[in-house]
Amino acid sequence: MTAQHQSAVAPSHSTELSRDLGLFDITMVGVAAMIGAGIFVLTGIAAGQAGPALIVAFALNGIVTLLTAMVYAELGSAIPEAGGGYLWVRQGLPGGNAFMAGWMSWFAHAVAGSLYALGFAAYLVETLALIGVLGPVAGGELVQLGGMTIALPVLEKTLAVAIALLFIYINFRGASETGMAGNIITVGKIAIIGVFIVSGLAVIFGDPQRLGQFVPLAPNGLTGIFGAMGLTFIAYEGYEIIVQTGEEVKDPRRNIPKAVFLALLIVVPIYMLVAFVCIGAVHAPDGTASWQFLGNAGELGLLRAAEQFMPLGSVLLLVGALFSTMSALNATTYSSTRVSFAMGRDRNLPDMFGAVHPRTRTPYLALVLSGALIIGMAVLIPEINDVAAAADIMFLLLFGQVNIAVITIRRKYGDKLAYGYLTPFFPYLPIIAIVLQLALAVVLFLNVSPTAGVVTAIWLAIGLAIHHFYASKREREEEVTPVLVEERLKMDHERFSVLVPVSNPATVDNLLAVARNILDTEPGDLILLHVITVPDQLPVSVGRDFIADARPILDETARKAEALGMTPNTLVRVGHRPADAIIDTVEEHDCNFVVMGWRGKASDPRTIVGSNIDNIVKESNANVVVLRGDVELPARRILVPIQHPQHGHLMAGLAASVATESGAYIELVHVVSEELTPQERAERAAELRESLSALDLEPGEGEAGEADSEGRSKRRFRIRIETGDVVPTIVGRSGDFDLLLMGASRESWIRRKVWGDKTFRIATQVDCPLVLVNLRGGKLKFNVSQFFQFFWDTEEEPTP
């Protein structure tokens, strides 16, 4: 079928979602959420409850958490949607359980954010005192700041409010701690805790008598152990955030369960070692037991321990604590907003909770109300241990509901869901988890914080009233399996295809011209792709709200394509990063060519190309053609550097497709080392001519004949063999041409590290219009390249 004949076929439309988070990314999300205020703020408080049995409390909490984590892994692999436990309870339990699960989840994550804000404030006060900004005042509860005397609790509450407001603003702007920056922070926190553990172990084993501090093991009995378990249960909260990213995870059925268990495998041993070191390595200067000293230090217990035995203890612990509490505050602000947003979308809360800001595309009203809840709980609940207990009770009740829901979901929908993981010893393990979680909630209420029990009871009562009088009248039924609006392209994936990403119809004329010429030489399918981007704070499904905005863009571009004799298939993808959406499309539809524009660094977050091009070139096994914004087609004089003679046919063919039909001059230049002999240079020229034989060139290196056998005007070609350095040679020759058509080869990682990227160096030095072409490699070569790139290509070269 020719390009002209394709116009008889009606165009098809498709909408798909992009998944761009891998196993490492979501594992770090869980680890980052767990290693936060829990370990830095609650270790000292919990030590005062359990004594040396704090190690036992952390271990038992790990077991209780594992029981529910298996449930989250099962349901997260089968129903990978944002909202997590709230959505599962909605499917598995009747009546108002779904509303109450969401209501509790919203409160739990928000109050956890309050805890992290207060923890940050406490450590920031210590930091300010360390650098001399704050001075103590007699009495202990007053501090001197810039000539003012301020009550310490008031200062800490004020700082907590300030940091909460900052992260509310950050989330509103659509920025979040994700990707490489978030992973670096997480690894940094683990490294600091690692230094703390190693330093403490050196002290303990350097003085074996310190092991005597573990006797008696449980000075406060089982009550103390259970109380410490209840208080520190929130320290393991975070693995469920992994599940909330389900809509953006690659291969969720496999990666979500793995990430949940890997996160716990990292965190549980770290917590146990921290507890062991704190009890064994600390020497109480007042003569009390080490666990009593830590308990008296409260939320600063870990800092007081580090000051005794850790190199640069104060500085490192303060840095780690500040980054950890900020990271966890960001995660819980993100999570509480997502839960309330999901409830608003499901009409369990007013519609304003589901509103998305038109510019930042963040759920701004849900964010504001979640932020108000975080700040309110931080200010109104008097003590930090009460804040922790309130969040713990609510998480325990929520996880209990989820454990009940998994039993009913397995019974009702087990044969309709595709599971990536199944909880063993079902249903006994979920039942054991329910009993243990209810027991811990009761212990927290009776023995640790009656205030927390009262606060959670009031919140639950408000939730029941809202559901009875408001939400129950607005609820709508949903299917258990996630429904994605998706229509597959009506095309044969075995056919030749050209993909053109579209962001602005006004700039696609040249892209379509190149695509048409490619399809003239190899008939096939044209795919027009538009990417709708949404911030990391939102599930990709939210992008469906903006599909209507994409239709005019694609419709206008499709009309232009049809005017050129092509029948386009239009595709809308939704994702967090445009490059990933383009790469996914190339992989799924096995595209042969990608034709896109380059305008430099993108300022509009919805712009498809820009700094993304390097990733597209490296991660997609397709011929990638990139046109710089100053290109005007067709061109009359075209310079084509040929890196390898065997690529000459493809590069010359592409040059012919963008050249004027008559009077065009195309120069193929191959730069070789000065060390080559004249005979070797002649052999290179012969090899290049041989690769161009299918283009009907006249023999020799000179210009081809002016007309072919049918009398049609021919484009003129010239082959040049130059000696010297590639970059200055090409840059020098480019000044005489209207267009530089250059192959952007995949150089080995060693050559790129040592010599730099020749393609980039040339592209940034030439003044003439530029088209870059990355040549498609074989699948085996591409897969091998990807394998080595994963391990070694860590520093990105600046690329177009």
Side-chain angles (χ1 to χ4, degrees):
M1 181 186 294
T2 65
Q4 286 78 8
H5 292 156
Q6 293 176 45
S7 60
V9 182
S12 59
H13 299 276
S14 173
T15 301
E16 300 178 3
L17 305 177
S18 287
R19 298 179 180 272
D20 43 43
L21 296 180
L23 175 61
F24 180 77
D25 297 313
I26 57 174
T27 301
M28 288 298 100
V29 167
V31 172
M34 285 189 276
I35 300 184
I39 193 168
F40 285 97
V41 178
L42 296 177
T43 299
I45 299 172
Q49 289 276 333
L54 177 62
I55 304 170
V56 178
F58 275 136
L60 292 176
N61 255 350
I63 295 173
V64 175
T65 300
L66 178 63
L67 297 177
T68 300
M70 288 189 287
V71 170
Y72 268 80
E74 173 176 323
L75 293 177
S77 70
I79 313 174
E81 285 193 77
Y86 156 64
L87 295 176
W88 303 332
V89 173
R90 187 183 68 190
Q91 304 303 331
L93 298 180
N97 281 280
F99 174 85
M100 292 307 297
W103 187 250
M104 288 189 291
S105 180
W106 183 29
F107 179 85
H109 284 99
V111 177
S114 305
L115 172 66
Y116 302 150
L118 290 169
F120 172 86
Y123 278 96
L124 182 58
V125 166
E126 288 293 315
T127 303
L128 295 175
L130 182 67
I131 62 178
V133 175
L134 286 180
V137 175
E141 288 296 310
L142 298 174
V143 292
Q144 196 77 22
L145 176 62
M148 297 184 298
T149 300
I150 305 174
L152 181 60
V154 172
L155 177 60
E156 290 183 344
K157 297 275 187 180
T158 302
L159 292 174
V161 171
I163 193 64
L165 287 172
L166 174 62
F167 278 102
I168 292 168
Y169 175 73
I170 289 172
N171 277 263
F172 170 74
R173 290 294 302 271
S176 66
E177 181 196 291
T178 58
M180 184 63 70
N183 293 340
I184 290 173
I185 291 174
T186 300
V187 172
K189 292 186 294 185
I190 295 174
I192 290 173
I193 294 171
V195 174
F196 177 86
I197 291 172
V198 170
S199 302
L201 290 175
V203 170
I204 293 172
F205 292 109
D207 181 10
Q209 292 185 354
R210 289 179 178 268
L211 295 175
Q213 298 192 99
F214 291 93
V215 181
L217 181 64
N220 294 328
L222 290 177
T223 300
I225 294 176
F226 288 143
M229 287 178 64
L231 272 174
T232 59
F233 188 79
I234 195 175
Y236 292 94
E237 181 273 324
Y239 65 87
E240 79 280 3
I241 295 177
I242 294 172
V243 179
Q244 292 183 14
T245 65
E247 289 184 0
E248 297 102 69
V249 177
K250 297 176 181 177
D251 194 3
R253 289 187 174 88
R254 183 181 66 178
N255 284 334
I256 286 178
K258 283 185 177 181
V260 169
F261 296 132
L262 282 173
L264 287 175
L265 186 64
I266 293 170
V267 170
V268 174
I270 288 176
Y271 281 7
M272 293 179 65
L273 285 170
V274 166
F276 178 77
V277 165
C278 283
I279 300 296
V282 167
H283 172 72
D286 56 4
T288 60
S290 59
W291 62 270
Q292 291 174 316
F293 171 76
L294 293 169
N296 292 334
E299 64 269 28
L300 299 176
L302 205 67
L303 176 63
R304 299 295 175 244
E307 290 172 346
Q308 292 192 14
F309 58 79
M310 181 178 172
L312 299 175
S314 295
V315 175
L316 287 178
L317 250 294
L318 287 171
V319 170
L322 291 174
F323 275 112
S324 296
T325 48
M326 284 192 294
S327 172
L329 174 58
N330 187 47
T332 48
T333 303
Y334 166 89
S335 298
S336 61
T337 300
R338 272 200 169 191
V339 173
S340 59
F341 169 76
M343 293 183 72
R345 300 269 291 191
D346 289 338
R347 297 173 60 83
N348 281 320
L349 288 176
D351 293 340
M352 64 179 180
F353 280 86
V356 176
H357 195 276
R359 179 173 57 84
T360 64
R361 296 187 178 180
T362 52
Y364 64 108
L365 292 178
L367 175 62
V368 168
L369 293 169
S370 297
L373 185 57
I374 292 172
I375 292 172
M377 292 297 100
V379 172
L380 296 177
I381 298 180
E383 299 292 336
I384 193 169
N385 61 316
D386 295 324
V387 176
D392 279 315
I393 292 174
M394 207 63 84
F395 275 121
L396 288 164
L397 295 178
L398 172 63
F399 293 159
Q401 277 190 302
V402 173
N403 278 287
I404 298 172
V406 72
I407 298 173
T408 59
I409 288 176
R410 180 90 75 90
R411 180 176 56 83
K412 292 170 61 180
Y413 308 109
D415 59 342
K416 301 176 183 178
L417 297 174
Y419 290 93
Y421 171 83
L422 288 173
T423 304
F425 304 108
F426 190 87
Y428 304 109
L429 291 186
I431 292 173
I432 293 172
I434 293 167
V435 173
L436 291 174
Q437 286 157 357
L438 289 176
L440 288 176
V442 170
V443 169
L444 279 171
F445 173 63
L446 296 178
N447 298 325
V448 177
S449 177
T451 300
V454 171
V455 170
T456 53
I458 292 173
W459 183 260
L460 292 176
I462 294 173
L464 289 170
I466 291 175
H467 178 263
H468 179 74
F469 293 106
Y470 178 78
S472 61
K473 298 177 176 58
R474 291 166 50 89
E475 287 176 350
R476 62 187 181 191
E477 294 184 358
E478 297 279 351
E479 295 181 3
V480 63
T481 52
V483 178
L484 302 180
V485 180
E486 183 175 354
E487 302 171 7
R488 291 294 179 191
L489 290 176
K490 298 176 182 178
M491 54 178 283
D492 184 358
H493 288 195
E494 299 298 322
R495 281 171 53 82
F496 185 88
S497 60
V498 178
L499 172 67
V500 178
V502 178
S503 61
N504 184 355
T507 62
V508 299
D509 292 344
N510 284 337
L511 305 184
L512 292 177
V514 172
R516 183 199 61 183
N517 288 323
I518 293 172
L519 290 171
D520 279 342
T521 59
E522 181 72 32
D525 294 303
L526 172 67
I527 304 173
L528 301 179
L529 169 68
H530 180 71
V531 181
I532 298 173
T533 58
V534 294
D536 290 322
Q537 283 81 359
L538 292 178
V540 289
S541 58
V542 174
R544 296 191 189 102
D545 294 347
F546 303 95
I547 289 176
D549 297 336
R551 291 302 184 196
I553 296 174
L554 283 177
D555 289 343
E556 183 177 347
T557 306
R559 285 193 293 270
K560 290 185 174 183
E562 289 168 350
L564 294 174
M566 298 178 287
T567 296
N569 298 281
T570 59
L571 171 63
V572 178
R573 296 197 79 124
V574 182
H576 293 304
R577 280 159 284 281
D580 292 331
I582 295 172
I583 293 166
D584 288 344
T585 305
V586 172
E587 179 180 349
E588 292 172 13
H589 301 290
D590 196 20
C591 300
N592 300 86
F593 273 85
V594 180
V595 182
M596 63 179 65
W598 168 32
R599 291 177 291 174
K601 185 177 180 181
S603 57
D604 186 340
R606 289 166 292 183
T607 299
I608 288 183
V609 296
S611 59
N612 297 300
I613 291 178
D614 188 50
N615 286 332
I616 295 168
V617 167
K618 290 193 295 184
E619 300 294 337
S620 59
N621 190 22
N623 297 306
V624 181
V625 181
V626 181
L627 284 71
R628 196 162 66 184
D630 55 359
V631 170
E632 293 186 6
L633 298 179
R636 181 169 294 275
R637 294 179 58 82
I638 304 175
L639 177 64
V640 185
I642 303 295
Q643 182 173 13
H644 300 292
Q646 60 266 37
H647 294 158
H649 174 267
L650 177 59
M651 295 299 296
L654 287 172
S657 71
V658 298
T660 54
E661 293 185 358
S662 63
Y665 172 68
I666 301 172
E667 181 172 292
L668 310 177
V669 59
H670 180 51
V671 183
V672 299
S673 170
E674 295 179 350
E675 298 177 358
L676 263 65
T677 65
Q679 180 179 354
E680 290 172 327
R681 290 199 292 272
E683 290 174 353
R684 289 287 183 93
E687 186 179 357
L688 183 54
R689 283 196 302 272
E690 177 65 24
S691 71
L692 299 175
S693 59
L695 294 175
D696 194 25
L697 288 178
E698 296 291 337
E701 294 187 31
E703 297 175 0
E706 293 299 324
D708 62 15
S709 59
E710 299 180 7
R712 292 174 303 192
S713 176
K714 292 181 63 175
R715 301 163 179 85
R716 296 176 298 148
F717 289 84
R718 180 178 177 85
I719 297 173
R720 294 180 64 93
I721 304 297
E722 296 278 357
T723 58
D725 187 15
V726 173
V727 175
T729 301
I730 300 302
V731 173
R733 291 289 301 157
S734 66
D736 297 328
F737 290 85
D738 303 321
L739 178 67
L740 174 62
L741 179 66
M742 184 169 58
S745 65
R746 284 189 177 90
E747 295 181 320
S748 71
W749 67 274
I750 294 178
R751 290 181 61 84
R752 288 186 59 152
K753 299 303 179 189
V754 176
W755 303 108
D757 190 325
K758 292 192 294 291
T759 302
F760 172 72
R761 290 158 58 196
I762 294 172
T764 54
Q765 293 181 39
V766 297
D767 296 324
C768 72
L770 174 68
V771 173
L772 298 175
V773 181
N774 187 83
L775 302 177
R776 184 176 191 170
K779 289 187 176 180
L780 176 61
K781 180 180 178 181
F782 176 73
N783 291 332
V784 171
S785 172
Q786 293 290 290
F787 175 80
F788 285 104
Q789 181 176 287
F790 176 83
F791 291 102
W792 287 300
D793 199 13
T794 54
E795 288 186 21
E796 298 294 334
E797 295 285 349
T799 53

